[in-house]
Amino acid sequence: MMGSKGSGLRSLLICVTLWTGPSSALFGHANRRPNIVLVLTDDLDVLIGGLNPLSKTKKLIGDAGMTFTNAFVASPLCCPSRASILTGKYPHNHHVVNNTLEGNCSSRAWQKSEEPHAFPALLKAYGGYQTFFAGKYLNQYGRADAGGVEHVPPGWSYWFALERNSKYYNYTMSVNGKAQKHGADYSRDYLTDVLANVSLDFLQYKSSYQPFFMMVSTPAPHSPWTAAPQYQDSFNTTKAPRDPNFNIHGANKHWLIRQAKTPMTNSSVQFLDEAFRKRWQTLLSVDDLVEKIVKKLEVRGELDNTYVFFTSDNGYHTGQFSLPLDKRQLYEFDIKVPLMVRGPNIKPNQTSQMLVANIDLGPTILDIAGYNVNKTQMDGMSFLPIMEGRLNSSGWRSDLLVEYEGEGSEVSDPACPLLGPGVSECFPDCVCEDSYNNTYACVRTVAPSADLQYCEFDDNEVFVEVYNVTADPFQLTNIAKTIDQEVLEKMNHRLMMLQSCSGQTCRTPGVYDPRYKFDPRQLFRPHSWKPSRLSQRMK
């Protein structure tokens, strides 16, 4: 396993087991309720081949259950997305807007207002579940001014969380609030394997009298893309896919996309191809982790009573519209994610085209545990009825909201002085992946009669992008200026409704739902969105 550090973890687990065991008497027949495992990857795309290296995962979860082909995130960035998973809320309701402490990522305010109501806390407090977390939590977790690694969020029986952002070596873990430092010895410290080992320890030593929820949050395939030694020569001839939107100018798109240099320099293409290979290499260890967990559940006789979810916090791009590497844009490659689930009453080899989002994970997991989601303030919906074949498309949503608040530097990048302040994530060729006014909100519609994306930017132009994804899956053509004006008005109205929604009002019928009622008078109420910081500065 993991040498002396592993032994310490096992003794901690045994203590936790002894401490949590007696409470199971409060919940009759608790051991009959399903167990739940959530494996969350970091920056794993679905549209540019992210699942290709994960053959065992696809077989053990996807083939054994249901694969969702229209799974989206409420925001395509780590911290806002993870906050949406934990709370079941859109960013405008949990108020985590980016990866900074100032953007509410793992801040004291987040800890006070949202953590006590996150779904793991409800599982533990009201469902009698023993809960286990291992891996990356939120990007600013563990900072001294956010409580340090001593802070253990409510709701976790066992806590093994990474300080700050994804790493593979030389990191610090919070083990139930105590710092544990790791170095660069593969056999003891490679984070994906360490997470696999502590997960197996938990399954071995947990209480058998309570159901369990287990969340394993891997660093892969996030940068710095450090593969395990045995996988460092894999995929040596692989290149990033040359899809129709690869290395082309983003015409008729937001200025941030238009500023990308096209064609990309040879050094940029070489860099992104190498990153693409390294990302795939890191995923081979994730594939091993999934296999170990599923096999352990099987050996213990618990697999048939366990739901296993596999997903990502956002997608990714490598060269699309000449943007080298990142994930903060509104396009399908960044907002669409893998989602596979196996479990009791889910038939194998199923595919669902229903529109689901990461805000639905909390409600679905609570529903599995028998907790009434209507008692929460969550914006999402349980897709358990979809997995069990009890619901058709007419009873489900036809759209959802994607929102993002851009980040930019107060000062000019020294390497790119001509760009001025207000941009960030700039590559050597001065192609910037983010800016203050890369602040947008989108309605993503998936309905029998429409596969559509409508987006508005909160900038001086109030720039609009609209895509017919059926006719234009690579989102090459922005049809905002040619689409029917009535459709634009309806989508604008729907966007305002979703941006101000909360709880039940986030689940009202969309534009392409026959139950939708359009009231043009509501178009003239004040826009609910605050101006971005750059807009305020430029006035």
Side-chain angles (χ1 to χ4, degrees):
M1 295 289 275
M2 298 189 318
S4 59
K5 285 177 182 171
S7 306
L9 288 167
R10 270 183 233 119
S11 60
L12 268 169
L13 276 161
I14 292 166
C15 291
V16 170
T17 299
L18 291 172
W19 181 74
T20 58
S23 67
S24 62
L26 299 172
F27 304 93
H29 308 295
N31 59 326
R32 293 181 190 171
R33 273 176 296 149
N35 308 306
I36 306 158
V37 175
L38 171 59
V39 178
L40 178 66
T41 52
D42 196 345
D43 285 1
L44 177 61
D45 64 276
V46 71
L47 285 190
I48 58 170
L51 289 178
N52 289 20
L54 296 164
S55 56
K56 293 184 281 196
T57 301
K58 287 188 287 187
K59 180 183 176 185
L60 293 170
I61 304 179
D63 294 353
M66 181 172 278
T67 299
F68 288 86
T69 58
N70 283 308
F72 292 87
V73 292
S75 191
L77 189 64
C78 302
C79 208
S81 177
R82 288 161 185 266
S84 285
I85 289 170
L86 291 163
T87 62
K89 294 179 180 179
Y90 283 121
H92 68 262
N93 287 327
H94 62 57
H95 307 297
V96 178
V97 296
N98 55 41
N99 286 344
T100 65
L101 201 62
E102 298 73 29
N104 205 28
C105 181
S106 205
S107 68
R108 298 276 193 182
W110 153 268
Q111 293 169 16
K112 185 177 179 182
S113 65
E114 299 299 331
E115 278 186 346
H117 310 290
F119 80 83
L122 300 177
L123 277 181
K124 186 170 186 285
Y126 300 107
Y129 274 69
Q130 52 195 321
T131 54
F132 167 90
F133 182 87
K136 175 179 170 179
Y137 179 58
L138 300 172
N139 297 56
Q140 301 300 331
Y141 172 77
R143 274 181 55 155
D145 45 359
V149 294
E150 295 78 20
H151 171 68
V152 177
W156 297 103
S157 317
Y158 184 73
W159 181 250
F160 187 77
L162 176 68
E163 179 193 36
R164 308 290 284 270
N165 203 4
S166 283
K167 289 185 178 180
Y168 297 81
Y169 293 112
N170 299 309
Y171 53 86
T172 299
M173 302 300 293
S174 169
V175 182
N176 290 342
K178 291 189 169 61
Q180 181 189 88
K181 295 196 178 296
H182 282 258
D185 177 346
Y186 169 69
S187 63
R188 292 167 59 86
D189 301 311
Y190 187 68
L191 183 55
T192 308
D193 291 353
V194 169
L195 299 180
N197 289 335
V198 295
S199 299
L200 299 182
D201 281 347
F202 171 74
L203 291 173
Q204 183 67 34
Y205 296 106
K206 65 179 173 55
S207 164
S208 297
Y209 297 100
Q210 292 171 276
F212 66 84
F213 168 68
M214 181 173 164
M215 183 169 176
V216 185
S217 183
T218 71
H222 195 285
S223 61
W225 315 306
T226 310
Q230 69 270 30
Y231 296 135
Q232 285 174 358
D233 293 324
S234 303
F235 311 118
N236 266 345
T237 60
T238 300
K239 292 184 175 182
R242 269 49 173 175
D243 289 333
N245 54 13
F246 179 84
N247 200 9
I248 67 160
H249 184 248
N252 301 314
K253 289 177 167 44
H254 190 240
W255 75 268
L256 185 66
I257 310 301
R258 298 197 304 268
Q259 58 87 35
K261 290 179 174 60
T262 307
M264 290 184 283
T265 60
N266 289 341
S267 58
S268 276
V269 174
Q270 194 175 346
F271 176 71
L272 69 85
D273 276 337
E274 187 178 348
F276 189 89
R277 282 191 289 276
K278 288 179 175 178
R279 281 163 51 80
W280 273 24
Q281 290 166 359
T282 67
L283 286 169
L284 294 173
S285 294
V286 176
D287 212 28
D288 293 340
L289 174 148
V290 169
E291 181 184 44
K292 287 172 187 172
I293 290 174
V294 172
K295 290 291 165 68
K296 183 73 167 182
L297 289 166
E298 192 170 30
V299 167
R300 290 183 55 85
E302 296 177 310
L303 185 58
D304 288 346
N305 193 37
T306 303
Y307 287 86
V308 184
F309 292 75
F310 180 89
T311 190
S312 174
D313 57 0
N314 46 254
Y316 207 70
H317 59 259
T318 52
Q320 281 66 37
F321 303 124
S322 301
L323 297 169
L325 295 169
D326 202 46
K327 64 285 184 103
R328 299 154 211 259
Q329 310 308 333
L330 56 85
Y331 307 104
E332 295 284 279
F333 41 75
D334 285 356
I335 64 173
K336 203 171 200 178
V337 289
L339 176 60
M340 299 180 279
V341 195
R342 67 171 293 165
N345 302 320
I346 303 177
K347 293 175 183 170
N349 293 305
Q350 288 198 92
T351 300
S352 173
Q353 296 180 336
M354 300 281 215
L355 183 61
V356 296
N358 59 352
I359 58 169
D360 300 329
L361 288 167
T364 303
I365 289 168
L366 289 175
D367 194 11
I368 287 168
Y371 187 83
N372 184 353
V373 182
N374 291 328
K375 290 182 178 178
T376 73
Q377 298 299 308
M378 293 183 174
D379 303 330
M381 303 160 67
S382 168
F383 54 81
L384 180 61
I386 295 174
M387 296 193 293
E388 293 184 340
R390 296 186 279 116
L391 189 72
N392 60 32
S393 58
S394 64
W396 192 247
R397 67 155 74 87
S398 62
D399 64 15
L400 50 80
L401 176 69
V402 179
E403 48 192 352
Y404 177 66
E405 185 168 314
E407 291 180 66
S409 173
E410 302 271 347
V411 295
S412 296
D413 187 321
C416 307
L418 295 178
L419 293 171
V423 293
S424 64
E425 308 296 320
C426 298
F427 278 78
D429 298 323
C430 294
V431 175
C432 299
E433 294 273 5
D434 207 2
S435 67
Y436 277 132
N437 69 353
N438 182 39
T439 295
Y440 58 81
C442 303
V443 179
R444 185 65 182 87
T445 296
V446 176
S449 60
D451 192 348
L452 193 70
Q453 186 179 23
Y454 172 91
C455 302
E456 288 181 18
F457 281 85
D458 184 22
D459 60 9
N460 288 352
E461 296 179 85
V462 192
F463 195 79
V464 175
E465 294 189 31
V466 184
Y467 297 95
N468 178 346
V469 185
T470 307
D472 180 20
F474 295 99
Q475 296 173 296
L476 304 174
T477 307
N478 176 10
I479 59 171
K481 289 188 166 66
T482 58
I483 198 169
D484 187 280
Q485 185 65 27
E486 187 185 357
V487 173
L488 282 178
E489 287 180 6
K490 285 184 175 180
M491 297 306 291
N492 169 263
H493 172 231
R494 181 62 179 158
L495 181 62
M496 289 195 298
M497 296 285 286
L498 284 172
Q499 282 180 268
S500 57
C501 78
S502 178
Q504 182 63 43
T505 59
C506 296
R507 305 191 283 272
T508 55
V511 170
Y512 286 88
D513 188 310
R515 297 168 293 175
Y516 177 77
K517 298 289 185 288
F518 176 53
D519 182 358
R521 289 171 300 180
Q522 290 184 288
L523 288 169
F524 300 104
R525 64 184 184 166
H527 203 286
S528 60
W529 225 3
K530 64 184 187 304
S532 70
R533 286 162 290 186
L534 187 61
S535 299
Q536 291 169 336
R537 194 173 292 124
M538 292 171 70
K539 282 178 181 173

